[in-house]
Each structure stands twice: as C-alpha cells, then as structure tokens.
Amino acid sequence: GAKPLREMTRNRNVSVVIGNWRDDGFLSDQTYDVVVADYLFGATERYWAYGADELLGRLLDRVRPGGTLLIVGLEPYELVLDRNEKDDRLVLEVEAIGDAAATAAFEPNYRELPERWIRERIARTTQFNVVATERFPMRLTARSLQRQLVFARDCLVKIEDDGLRAAFEARVRALDKELSVWA
C-alpha cells in the first residue's frame, strides 16, 4: 500500500500522493517527471466503470513535457493463455467463475486492458509516444488462483437466486479441488 511506499521514499525526493482519479480536481494543478500507474487500469473497471479512457487522459495530463508515464499491468489471461492446454484452461475457468459470479451478483469487477489498448490510446495523442515495453512471464500459483476463488465466493453470497447460487458454489468447490493438486 501507499503507507510503506511513503516510508521507503522518505528523504529521496519522491512524492507519494493518495487520492481518487475520479475526482476532476485531483492533482489538477500538478505535473510530475514520472507518473506510475501500477496495476491501476485493471482496477479501474471495478471502481470507475468505463473510466479507463478518462483515467489515461488524466494521467497523461500530470506528466511534465519530456516526462514519463510508467504503466504496469497484466495482459488479459484470455489473450496469453491457450484454453486447449489443461493448466491454462484451469486458470481461465477460475478467472471466468469470478467474473460470472460478480456479474450474477450485480457487483463491479476487475478487468485488465491489453497493452494494445494503451498503445492505441497513446498513439492518438500528439505529445506522447510509447518508447519501451517489456513483458515478463506470468507466474501464477495455486495460492494466487485460490484468491480468485475467494473473490468468487464473496460474490456468491450476494446472488439472490438459490439455484444459480448453488450451481456457482458447486463449480467453485470443484475448481478449488482441482487447484489443490495443481502443479
């Protein structure tokens, strides 16, 4: 979180600012040499539905001429995993059950945006261009996927239809069992 980050950067000419990007006035009079968006776009949909375009604009507005916007995120799993591969399919199913449970519970959800989306939006600007990208291998563990199932379970309690909720619960249990022996 931001508190440990503030402690780590104390006395290093670094500012950590906490606020809400949905607020038009947030940092509206400030610009920075470096702006970091660390997994921010994946969370945008959950907390600011359809706000990703506006968020990117606000982030770019905060970068000084010649400055850098550093974006860290995940490619959507369905773009990098192969549903015909057993392990990949399990990951996609775990992700899908969380998405479906959130939808059935009328809960907002996380949604990763592909690098292509960021590149296309930045290409539309006249002041910015993408100067470097780097991809790292995805390192998923049974534990990280089980956290996805916790998210699904949290949504399940909000599903009003008993039959639908029971079907989701059964599938979450089955996926949890598969993860318990996942390599």
Side-chain angles (χ1 to χ4, degrees), residues 63-123:
V63 178
R64 284 191 182 119
T68 301
L69 171 60
L70 174 64
I71 299 172
V72 179
L74 290 173
E75 282 293 298
Y77 292 162
E78 62 271 14
L79 296 181
V80 295
L81 299 177
D82 180 355
R83 70 184 66 247
N84 297 312
E85 296 291 326
K86 183 181 176 194
D87 285 347
D88 287 2
R89 185 170 189 84
L90 179 58
V91 171
L92 291 167
E93 285 188 55
V94 168
E95 182 77 5
I97 197 75
D99 292 347
T103 299
F106 300 103
E107 287 292 311
N109 200 0
Y110 295 92
R111 182 175 68 116
E112 300 298 338
L113 297 173
E115 177 186 328
R116 178 188 76 248
W117 184 92
I118 300 286
R119 288 175 155 283
E120 289 170 358
R121 267 69 188 172
I122 290 174

Side-chain angles (χ1 to χ4, degrees), residues 111-145:
R111 182 175 68 116
E112 300 298 338
L113 297 173
E115 177 186 328
R116 178 188 76 248
W117 184 92
I118 300 286
R119 288 175 155 283
E120 289 170 358
R121 267 69 188 172
I122 290 174
R124 293 177 188 169
T125 70
T126 56
Q127 310 94 317
F128 294 94
N129 58 55
V130 175
V131 295
T133 64
E134 188 165 350
R135 291 190 179 193
F136 301 94
M138 203 181 318
R139 292 200 188 348
L140 297 171
T141 64
R143 187 174 176 198
S144 67
L145 293 172

Side-chain angles (χ1 to χ4, degrees), residues 1-18 36:
K3 195 172 192 176
L5 186 58
R6 278 190 177 149
E7 291 168 13
M8 290 178 355
T9 58
R10 192 180 322 272
N11 302 322
R12 294 192 180 173
N13 198 24
V14 173
S15 298
V16 177
V17 182
I18 300 171
V36 179

